[in-house]
Amino acid sequence: MNCIIIDDEAASRSIVSHYCSQLHDLQVEEEFTNAIDAIKFLNKRSVDLVFLDIHMPGFTGMDLIETLKNPPHVILITSDPDFAIDAFDFDCIVDYLVKPIMIERFEKAVTKTRYRRERTKTQRAERQDLAPTPVDGEMFVKVNRKLIKIDFSSMSVIQAKGDYVLIKTDGEEYKIHTTLKKVQEKLPEAFFFKAHRSYIINFRKIIDIQDSRVLIANKLIPISRTNRAELMDRLNVL
Amino acid sequence: MERPTLETIKKIAGGDFVFEHKLIAIIKWELPLELVEYHEHVAGNAFAKAALSVHKLKHKISILHMHKSYKFAERYEEELREGKATLQEDFEDVINGMSSFVNQL
């Protein structure tokens, strides 16, 4: 893991750096005496772990975390254990170390970070495994006394409209006398998602997501607040 | 008055004498700077800033293995945050003890 150390106190930086040098998989990329310089660095380079002092003049450690869009894993360094309670409001914070830091406690915090990294990697891999798989299969729908085959991969949006369901595909739109629930039962769960009580969408067709709407096949589909969290969880978000 | 010792520094260094000397050198350099900053804030009645300085000094106090003084510094830091400095003189004794010890290293 590559890491940086942010602490306005030289003795503290020196201790953390010394401990890092004793662990084979930790490389200190840079040390910073203030949060502003560290933010500039983090906007250009990515690191796996940040050792971060909470109390720094001007811009504090917490300010730094709030500033970063995707903060890396953070181990807080503090003289005040009471701050730990607030710290765990942030997902990126793995652990906190109280000064003066002892090597045993330091190693424990780094081990925790390794576990957290592995877990994050596994979750990403699971999402990626899901994403590239083609949407195999098809279903037949009755339209004007004919049974028409629709490939799942061509479907983008399925919309409930009164007693009918509109199935929008890459080239056609089918109006079928059925319920959204019945259609949903036929669809592969891994690729289709009920974004709203009137809409099912195909994950693979999403163009973008903004606030409470999904842009898919030139249509803006509303997402209910409760479903949005699940959708974000299922997407392969960097 | 509690006397500083090298016990914590030795524990941190874990038998690495090169690092032990390096850490002592850093403390010898950094402690006077922190004290200057602290005294400036106290002299200017900048209690909030003085509290931050004491917060920073607490690490040096703990590195020098002064447990009782650390507890005292916590109380003093809190007092400064409240805009008071009644413990200032007693804290001077703590920092004088630290300075004398560090100068002899």
Side-chain angles (χ1 to χ4, degrees), chain B residues 61-103:
Chain B
I61 295 170
S62 62
I63 282 183
L64 294 172
H65 207 70
M66 301 165 77
H67 298 305
K68 282 181 192 163
S69 302
Y70 185 89
K71 291 279 172 203
F72 175 74
E74 277 186 324
R75 276 182 20 232
Y76 182 44
E77 182 189 353
E78 196 55 45
E79 186 187 58
L80 285 167
R81 282 211 184 103
E82 290 164 5
K84 292 180 286 182
T86 63
L87 301 174
Q88 187 189 338
E89 275 188 30
D90 292 329
F91 191 67
E92 281 298 321
D93 290 341
V94 173
I95 54 184
N96 287 339
M98 284 164 73
S99 295
S100 308
F101 178 76
V102 167
N103 287 338

Side-chain angles (χ1 to χ4, degrees), chain A residues 134-238:
Chain A
V135 189
D136 288 331
E138 69 280 317
M139 62 191 259
F140 285 84
V141 296
K142 198 185 264 184
V143 182
N144 298 331
R145 297 182 189 173
K146 278 195 290 187
L147 277 174
I148 295 174
K149 185 178 89 171
I150 306 176
D151 290 328
F152 290 140
S153 60
S154 72
M155 293 179 176
S156 53
V157 179
I158 301 112
Q159 180 186 359
K161 209 160 193 181
D163 293 338
Y164 290 85
V165 164
L166 300 177
I167 298 178
K168 188 169 170 54
T169 69
D170 290 339
E172 298 285 338
E173 188 169 281
Y174 301 98
K175 189 176 178 184
I176 301 145
H177 188 259
T178 184
T179 63
L180 198 63
K181 194 176 178 220
K182 280 184 183 168
V183 177
Q184 190 178 11
E185 284 167 3
K186 298 284 181 191
L187 299 171
E189 202 182 331
F191 299 101
F192 289 88
F193 178 75
K194 194 169 180 184
H196 182 271
R197 62 189 157 82
S198 301
Y199 291 95
I200 294 170
I201 57 170
N202 182 347
F203 278 122
R204 304 295 298 275
K205 303 284 186 183
I206 292 175
I207 295 165
D208 65 41
I209 301 168
Q210 195 176 352
D211 302 325
S212 57
R213 286 169 193 276
V214 177
L215 178 61
I216 185 164
N218 299 324
K219 279 187 79 154
L220 276 172
I221 307 298
I223 326 171
S224 63
R225 192 180 294 178
T226 46
N227 292 346
R228 190 177 192 280
E230 192 192 332
L231 174 66
M232 297 309 288
D233 201 40
R234 288 177 64 178
L235 291 174
N236 184 24
V237 180
L238 183 65

Side-chain angles (χ1 to χ4, degrees), chain A residues 8-15 17-19 22 53 55-58 78-81 83 98-104, chain B residues 8-9 11-14 16 19-20 22-23 26-27 29-30 34 37 52 55-56 58-60 62-63 70 74 77 81:
Chain A
D8 61 326
E9 197 201 340
S12 178
R13 289 196 307 275
S14 170
I15 292 168
S17 178
H18 173 65
Y19 288 160
Q22 300 194 348
D53 182 27
H55 284 278
M56 286 182 287
T78 177
S79 295
D80 195 342
F83 278 94
V98 179
K99 296 177 185 180
I101 305 163
M102 293 298 147
I103 185 74
E104 300 81 12
Chain B
T8 302
I9 290 176
K11 207 172 164 188
I12 289 168
D16 182 337
F19 177 68
E20 187 178 317
K22 185 184 164 188
L23 186 56
I26 290 171
I27 293 166
W29 163 76
E30 192 170 45
E34 289 178 355
E37 194 180 82
L52 265 176
H55 186 86
K56 208 164 157 185
K58 274 165 44 185
H59 188 214
K60 298 289 184 298
S62 62
I63 282 183
Y70 185 89
E74 277 186 324
E77 182 189 353
R81 282 211 184 103

